[in-house]
């Protein structure tokens, strides 16, 4: 009865579930670096409900895949202010329900296994700890908007960095859980550099040994800052943190609200070619600070951390960003035009070589991005929101320029999305985009959308290139014109098949993903000779293939045909006209130099 009266008193005085002054306290303590273990405790102030739920996300922002992050949690417990155990039960794979005997502060704790560095979630060793809160820190839906502190019990000589503001050397503060989950923490021994551009403060953090040059990275990201300012004019952050991990077999990156985590092989920062890929990734993540963080599709605004978040506009978040990353490098003068043209040709070739582009639309791919099919199925029946979105973004940019006599381009759409939909809790819809496109161009863009976004209409690349004074130039005829339609895995001892194009010679020969090729006309195939052997095949000639499929020795016949998509260069036309030069200049940020005969 006493407990019930207290409960009613709290409700009568209009107190909310949580205090509005006392922050939630998160504590993180590495306990066994060699075995990647840590202890987490969280204290929620003044819980007044009889049952109290805590959860860990099942995915993390920036990666649209269910990761089931709670599999790293063990030894969960809950207790009250006096250290008395609170009864609890696990209600589903990522939720714990607590049963309180009386109101007051509640502390939960658990052990976390911290060894998912390649997934950019959490990692602990003797030199550092990297924390993406989605895989480390639980939250209560009732306290999601509550202020919080994060304290790290780490060695004194370590340095702690994050997009969150510091309250002490190893403590951060956040307005709510959403800010915490979008602000990864890097604490440990690392290189550090800070500088200011305009009114924005930048920090570069590099953990790991490699061939990087932090001063040169500063120079390059400074150029990216100025390119971003040209499009969006203002910045959604006052401070931005670049976190780099340099290590063995590391790749990938994740955007966050005012920071990014970029992972690279430790020796990818030299020579120039791999370094340009690092810089392209860096540009990609910075662009995401606007396109997906400052404005994003309605399906992921706000985030629901406990299930898939669906949208048929994911291609705008990822594909448009992929379109801009290399373009930023070109406009900034980091890419030479010839290097950019080579990248463009590679993207086009990958697009043309993907049979799935004739089957699945960008809208479908966006909605189904949570589905992870095997490589063979995806190759023939699906498209990537990154690659296909890149190609359609390029085509959309051209369409806008064509309809406005080059007065506007895709930059204007991005600027207006930022101005009109800069609210992380209210995303934009398809009709919002179409309305903005009509505002920019003065034309209804429904037909374009139905053809290229909701349909699978092929892009006329010759026309698209010519618009900018560019052209495809076939490479010299080569022996690889004989095509079988199989993508090979030639690492290790065997020649394996990654994917087979539908309706290709390899497809009709019965070859499929996972098969191991043994010989052609009785002569052994090996990783060392397979490329040469395939180049020696003759179009229209039948060859006997021995191979293993599902562990059984099999024989088939394959007849190469002409390659449907011959290799090509992209280069300027001989005599670009005035309009082509003007379009190229406004698009690429530099003059078009005609090719030399």
């Amino acid at each position: 009865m006493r407990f019930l009266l207290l409960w009613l008193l709290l409700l009568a005085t209009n107190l909310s579930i949580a205090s509005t002054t006392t922050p939630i306290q998160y504590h993180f303590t590495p306990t066994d670096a060699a075995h990647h273990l840590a202890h987490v405790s969280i204290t929620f102030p003044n819980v007044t409900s009889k049952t109290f739920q805590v959860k860990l996300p099942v995915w993390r922002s920036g990666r649209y895949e269910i990761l089931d992050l709670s599999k790293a949690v063990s030894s969960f417990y809950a207790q009250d202010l006096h250290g008395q155990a609170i009864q609890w039960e696990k209600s589903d794979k990522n939720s714990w329900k607590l049963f309180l005997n009386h109101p007051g502060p509640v502390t939960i704790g658990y052990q976390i296994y911290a060894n998912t560095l390649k997934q950019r979630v959490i990692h602990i060793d003797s030199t550092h700890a990297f924390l993406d809160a989605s895989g480390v820190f639980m939250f209560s839906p009732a306290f999601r908007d509550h202020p919080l502190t994060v304290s790290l019990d780490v060695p004194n000589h370590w340095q702690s960095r994050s997009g969150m503001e510091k309250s002490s050397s190893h403590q951060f503060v956040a307005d709510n859980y959403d800010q915490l989950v979008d602000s990864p923490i890097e604490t440990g021994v690392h290189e550090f550099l800070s500088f200011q551009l305009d009114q924005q403060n930048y920090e570069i953090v590099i953990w790991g040994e490699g061939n990087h040059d932090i001063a040169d990275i500063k120079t390059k990201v400074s150029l990216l800052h100025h390119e971003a300012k040209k499009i969006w004019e203002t910045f959604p952050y006052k401070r931005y943190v670049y976190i780099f991990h340099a290590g063995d077999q590391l790749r990938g990156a994740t955007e966050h609200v005012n920071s990014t985590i970029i992972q690279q092989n430790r020796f990818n920062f030299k020579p120039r070619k791999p370094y340009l890929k690092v810089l392209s990734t860096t540009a990609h993540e910075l662009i995401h600070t606007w396109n997906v963080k400052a404005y994003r599709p309605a399906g992921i605004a706000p985030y629901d951390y406990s299930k898939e978040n669906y949208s048929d506009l994911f291609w705008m978040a990822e594909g448009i960003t992929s379109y801009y990353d290399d373009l930023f490098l070109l406009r900034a003068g980091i890419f030479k035009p010839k290097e950019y043209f080579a990248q463009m040709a590679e993207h086009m070739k990958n697009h043309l070589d993907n049979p799935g582009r004739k089957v699945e639309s960008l809208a479908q791919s966006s909605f189904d991005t949570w589905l992870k099919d095997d490589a063979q199925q995806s190759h023939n029946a699906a498209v990537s929101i990154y690659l296909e979105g890149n190609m359609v973004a390029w085509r959309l940019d051209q369409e806008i320029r064509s309809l406005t006599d080059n007065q506007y381009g895709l930059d204007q759409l991005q600027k207006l999305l930022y101005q009109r939909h800069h609210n992380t809790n209210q995303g934009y819809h398809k009709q919002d985009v179409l309305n903005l496109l009509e505002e920019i161009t003065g034309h209804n863009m429904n037909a374009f959308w139905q053809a290229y976004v909701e349909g699978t209409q092929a892009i006329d690349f010759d026309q698209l290139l010519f618009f900018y004074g560019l052209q495809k130039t076939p490479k010299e005829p080569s022996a690889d014109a004989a095509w079988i339609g199989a993508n090979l895995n030639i690492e290790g001892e065997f020649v394996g098949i990654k994917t087979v194009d539908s309706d290709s010679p390899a497809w009709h020969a019965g070859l499929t993903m996972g098969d191991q090729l043994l010989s052609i006309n009785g002569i052994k195939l090996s990783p060392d000779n397979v490329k040469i052997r395939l180049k020696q095949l003759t179009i229209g000639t039948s060859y006997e293939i021995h191979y293993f499929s599902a562990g059984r020795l099999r024989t088939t016949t394959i007849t190469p045909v002409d390659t449907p998509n011959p290799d090509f260069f992209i280069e300027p036309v001989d005599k670009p006209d005035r309009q082509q030069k003007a379009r190229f200049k406004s698009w690429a940020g530099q003059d078009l130099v005609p090719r030399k005969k």
Side-chain angles (χ1 to χ4, degrees):
M1 178 63 71
R2 181 182 178 185
F3 181 61
L4 177 59
L5 290 174
L6 178 58
W7 217 291
L8 293 173
L9 178 62
L10 288 171
L11 291 174
T13 55
N14 198 30
L15 291 177
S16 63
I17 283 181
S19 166
T20 58
T21 56
T22 306
I24 304 168
Q25 297 177 0
Y26 286 81
H27 292 270
F28 178 85
T29 305
T31 55
D32 188 341
H35 296 99
H36 314 293
L37 297 175
H39 179 262
V40 174
S41 69
I42 309 168
T43 298
F44 298 93
N46 300 332
V47 178
T48 61
S49 56
K50 293 183 177 180
T51 60
F52 184 65
Q53 186 182 53
V54 293
K55 304 170 74 71
L56 191 71
V58 299
W59 64 287
R60 62 166 178 77
S61 66
R63 181 168 180 171
Y64 308 114
E65 178 182 1
I66 298 299
L67 298 174
D68 287 332
L69 299 168
S70 57
K71 61 190 175 186
V73 173
S74 61
S75 303
F76 181 89
Y77 65 88
Q79 59 188 33
D80 63 17
L81 176 66
H82 305 291
Q84 298 297 311
I86 296 174
Q87 183 182 356
W88 60 271
E89 66 179 24
K90 194 170 184 181
S91 52
D92 58 44
K93 66 180 180 180
N94 69 310
S95 303
W96 290 256
K97 182 182 290 186
L98 281 58
F99 303 94
L100 278 64
N101 293 320
H102 50 76
V106 170
T107 296
I108 64 168
Y110 48 91
Q111 179 174 274
I112 197 85
Y113 178 61
N115 193 27
T116 49
L117 180 63
K118 291 183 178 180
Q119 288 75 38
R120 299 180 296 284
V121 176
I122 181 171
H123 184 254
I124 300 171
D125 66 13
S126 60
T127 67
H128 88 137
F130 170 72
L131 314 178
D132 182 305
S134 58
V136 184
F137 297 128
M138 294 184 186
F139 72 101
S140 169
F143 281 78
R144 179 167 169 171
D145 294 325
H146 204 77
L148 57 89
T149 64
V150 180
S151 301
L152 310 175
D153 185 7
V154 295
N156 289 331
H157 69 281
W158 281 17
Q159 297 292 316
S160 298
R161 317 284 183 187
S162 176
M164 293 180 288
E165 294 300 320
K166 280 187 178 180
S167 53
S168 64
S169 296
H170 301 295
Q171 186 178 80
F172 299 94
V173 296
D175 293 336
N176 49 50
Y177 184 78
D178 290 275
Q179 184 181 1
L180 170 62
V181 86
D182 231 340
S183 304
I185 298 169
E186 174 63 37
T187 178
V189 179
H190 51 246
E191 292 182 62
F192 178 74
L193 183 70
S194 63
F195 57 98
Q196 185 173 357
L197 296 169
D198 297 321
Q199 302 302 312
Q200 282 66 50
N201 296 308
Y202 288 92
E203 299 175 3
I204 301 175
V205 179
I206 306 179
W207 170 78
E209 299 176 343
N211 61 355
H212 51 266
D213 180 344
I214 196 169
D216 190 71
I217 293 174
K218 172 192 172 183
T219 299
K220 298 302 190 293
V221 299
S222 297
L223 294 172
L224 298 178
H225 164 94
H226 295 301
E227 291 307 317
K229 186 176 181 180
K230 291 176 185 176
I231 296 179
W232 292 287
E233 299 180 354
T234 62
F235 294 78
Y237 54 83
K238 294 181 179 179
R239 182 172 64 93
Y240 189 89
V241 185
Y242 289 97
I243 303 173
F244 290 88
H245 286 167
D248 296 329
Q249 299 179 336
L250 292 182
R251 60 181 299 275
T254 303
E255 71 278 1
H256 292 281
V257 68
N258 68 332
S259 62
T260 180
I261 168 65
I262 300 170
Q263 296 189 333
Q264 290 291 324
N265 182 289
R266 66 177 76 251
F267 297 119
N268 272 5
F269 298 84
K270 295 176 185 175
R272 180 173 173 81
K273 188 173 182 179
Y275 186 38
L276 287 174
K277 291 186 179 295
V278 175
L279 294 175
S280 180
T281 299
T282 304
H284 186 100
E285 302 314 314
L286 178 64
I287 293 163
H288 265 319
T289 314
W290 288 266
N291 186 22
V292 87
K293 289 304 177 183
Y295 53 90
R296 59 179 113 138
I300 54 172
Y303 293 128
D304 185 335
Y305 301 116
S306 295
K307 64 180 182 180
E308 296 88 345
N309 292 208
Y310 293 104
S311 171
D312 58 4
L313 296 174
F314 273 125
W315 72 273
M316 290 191 63
E318 295 298 347
I320 288 179
T321 302
S322 296
Y323 170 65
Y324 272 113
D325 51 27
D326 286 342
L327 189 57
F328 260 44
L329 298 191
L330 177 66
R331 290 176 175 178
I334 298 172
F335 258 142
K336 298 174 183 177
K338 188 175 181 179
E339 292 170 324
Y340 180 74
F341 296 158
Q343 283 293 103
M344 187 189 303
E346 180 180 338
H347 293 321
M348 286 171 57
K349 185 69 164 62
N350 290 337
H351 160 81
L352 292 169
D353 284 344
N354 177 28
R357 66 185 171 86
K358 301 176 183 179
V359 178
E360 184 178 51
S361 73
L362 259 182
Q364 291 171 324
S365 178
S366 294
F367 194 83
D368 288 341
T369 193
W370 296 90
L371 299 177
K372 303 302 175 184
D373 297 329
D374 66 30
Q376 176 65 49
Q377 169 69 4
S378 296
H379 180 64
N380 286 297
V383 293
S384 163
I385 57 175
Y386 294 86
L387 176 60
E388 192 73 13
N390 182 344
M391 296 293 97
V392 171
W394 186 20
R395 175 67 182 88
L396 178 58
D397 196 351
Q398 182 222 3
E399 185 72 7
I400 297 171
R401 293 175 187 275
S402 178
L403 293 174
T404 64
D405 194 24
N406 202 41
Q407 183 178 0
Y408 297 115
L410 193 62
D411 293 0
Q412 183 69 4
L413 176 63
Q414 299 309 298
K415 179 180 177 180
L416 291 180
L417 282 169
Y418 180 47
Q419 292 176 347
R420 310 280 179 83
H421 298 278
H422 186 184
N423 185 336
T424 57
N425 291 320
Q426 294 180 11
Y428 60 83
H429 297 81
K430 163 190 166 181
Q431 193 57 50
D432 295 319
V433 180
L434 288 171
N435 290 343
L436 290 177
L437 287 171
E438 184 167 358
E439 178 182 333
I440 294 167
T441 67
H443 291 77
N444 186 297
M445 297 282 283
N446 279 303
F448 180 98
W449 197 272
Q450 291 169 5
Y452 295 102
V453 177
E454 296 176 348
T456 58
Q457 181 167 317
I459 296 173
D460 185 342
F461 285 110
D462 290 330
Q463 183 270 341
L464 176 53
L465 288 167
F466 191 75
F467 183 82
Y468 296 106
L470 303 173
Q471 64 183 6
K472 288 194 301 181
T473 301
K475 292 186 177 180
E476 291 297 324
S478 61
D480 65 356
W483 181 74
I484 64 171
N487 299 302
L488 303 181
N489 181 2
I490 55 176
E491 298 177 359
E493 304 180 46
F494 304 101
V495 178
I497 292 182
K498 286 183 180 178
T499 59
V500 174
D501 287 17
S502 57
D503 201 30
S504 68
W507 180 276
H508 293 301
L511 299 174
T512 191
M513 183 181 70
D515 290 350
Q516 292 181 0
L517 303 183
L518 302 176
S519 67
I520 298 178
N521 283 354
I523 306 299
K524 180 182 177 181
L525 282 175
S526 71
D528 294 331
N529 70 17
V530 64
K531 290 184 178 180
I532 295 175
R533 295 289 303 282
L534 291 178
K535 287 182 178 181
Q536 293 171 343
L537 300 182
T538 301
I539 295 171
T541 300
S542 296
Y543 297 87
E544 184 180 61
I545 304 292
H546 285 86
Y547 65 104
F548 279 121
S549 183
R552 296 182 65 86
L553 180 63
R554 300 178 185 273
T555 304
T556 190
T557 300
I558 195 167
T559 305
V561 299
D562 285 310
T563 179
N565 301 305
D567 289 336
F568 57 87
F569 298 106
I570 290 177
E571 57 185 358
V573 299
D574 292 337
K575 295 180 180 180
D577 61 29
R578 179 182 57 81
Q579 282 188 320
Q580 289 172 318
K581 290 179 180 179
R583 293 167 187 155
F584 185 89
K585 175 74 172 181
S586 65
W587 169 62
Q590 52 187 283
D591 293 329
L592 176 63
V593 180
R595 71 170 181 169
K596 297 178 181 179
K597 294 184 179 180

